[in-house]
Amino acid sequence: MDPLLATATAADAPSEATRPRPPAEPAVEPARLWAIGDLHLSYKGNREELEKLEPKPNDGLIICGDVGETVEHLRMCFSAAKACFKQLWWVPGNHELFTMPSSNGKRGEDKYMECVKIAREYGVLTPEDDFVVWEGDGGPCVIAPIFTLYDYSFRPDHVALEDALEWAAEENILATDEHLLHNDPYASRIEWCNALVERAQAKLSEAVMQNPGTRLVIINHWPLREDLVNIPLVPRFVIWCGTKQTEDWHNTYNAKVVVSGHLHVRRTDWIDDTRFEEVSLGYPKQWHECQERGMDLNDLLREILPGSDPPPPGAPTTLWRRFGKGTTKTHPIFLKGAKR
């Protein structure tokens, strides 16, 4: 090359100082873990809300039971959620276990396993899959979906087990479960619950041993503690809300967070060193006030990890979340719950 041409070419070339730099990679926010339960997609209004789910492609979502009664409801939910979130977890509620005319005769455990099969088609993790470690914001934590059912032990001391249904009926309360939730192949729902509790205990114990020092996020549709059941409109529905066998699992299994639904009463509680999150959406009429305030399904997703900070020492330990994020300054943020 002509040395003068080479000199001119070099002079025209951008210097290190002026050479355009490649665009910076967009900052990736730490992954967060969210939860929602009790979507009840048999209701048209709730199905329409599911269509509004906004993408959080770096995040995870817990679906905490009662998606609906049919396999079509599950497919609708998993398809929409999978398009928006990186990883999904699901636990069954009582409604998934209902035997409907469209259930092809599947009852009890067979109906549950059909739901598990559908979840796996979408890559959704269930109580039948291995627990995984969450490495995103708020972690590491072992994400532990379980399935326990109920055994009618959430009842007053003066009410005998054999009288529990009659006691509820005195207030005209009878769960649909008594007609549609079958316990095949077990002799009773109590026997099925006992078997499920035993399996969950073994799996949680193994997770604690295999991950020393790593805390768990336990996910179950039914609350683990009776003192977290606050349903003043139907108080005797409590007998279908869990089992006393799980009362201290948050301590036994080193839980950082326990996530549940079922009650349709959104709240956050701190007990001992554990945060308890009730994350249900509920039937349309139960959250229409949120919609009147301009909120949608996205506003009612609960952040599980990293999640809320605990209240300061001496402060009440219950945060009511009727409108998603808690009450406004014109209402007390914390309300005292029952003595624990």
Side-chain angles (χ1 to χ4, degrees), residues 73-249:
H73 293 148
L74 285 177
R75 293 186 185 281
M76 189 184 310
C77 174
F78 295 154
S79 178
K82 187 68 174 177
C84 294
F85 289 86
K86 185 175 183 179
Q87 181 61 65
L88 305 177
W89 288 263
W90 165 83
V91 294
N94 50 313
H95 280 249
E96 281 97 336
L97 304 175
F98 286 176
T99 295
M100 308 296 289
S102 61
S103 299
N104 297 320
K106 291 188 181 296
R107 297 160 55 105
E109 193 170 70
D110 283 347
K111 179 69 188 297
Y112 166 57
M113 292 308 299
E114 179 182 49
C115 295
V116 170
K117 179 181 177 181
I118 292 169
R120 286 174 171 169
E121 291 175 9
Y122 291 86
V124 180
L125 297 176
T126 78
E128 303 305 310
D129 297 305
D130 293 337
F131 296 161
V132 299
V133 176
W134 171 263
E135 298 287 1
D137 206 358
C141 285
V142 177
I143 310 300
I146 63 171
F147 170 29
T148 63
L149 207 55
Y150 52 83
D151 61 2
Y152 308 96
S153 59
F154 283 6
R155 64 181 191 275
D157 293 340
H158 71 274
V159 177
L161 174 60
E162 58 270 21
D163 299 327
L165 292 179
E166 183 178 347
W167 172 75
E170 290 173 359
E171 298 290 337
N172 297 315
I173 297 172
L174 180 67
T176 305
D177 296 22
E178 297 299 322
H179 300 292
L180 297 181
L181 200 166
H182 302 286
N183 40 264
D184 309 35
Y186 297 92
S188 66
R189 293 188 198 90
I190 294 176
E191 185 177 310
W192 191 8
C193 174
N194 290 340
L196 291 168
V197 165
E198 185 176 346
R199 287 171 57 192
Q201 285 177 311
K203 196 169 181 180
L204 291 168
S205 295
E206 183 179 7
V208 171
M209 287 189 297
Q210 290 184 350
N211 300 274
T214 302
R215 303 192 69 183
L216 273 63
V217 174
I218 300 177
I219 308 161
N220 191 44
H221 177 69
W222 293 270
L224 299 190
R225 295 174 59 92
E226 185 178 7
D227 60 358
L228 295 178
V229 181
N230 183 350
I231 41 177
L233 294 180
V234 284
R236 298 194 182 188
F237 187 77
V238 66
I239 61 174
W240 292 281
C241 291
T243 168
K244 290 183 177 179
Q245 298 180 75
T246 62
E247 180 86 5
D248 201 45
W249 280 16

Side-chain angles (χ1 to χ4, degrees), residues 307-318:
S308 305
D309 293 328
T317 57
T318 298

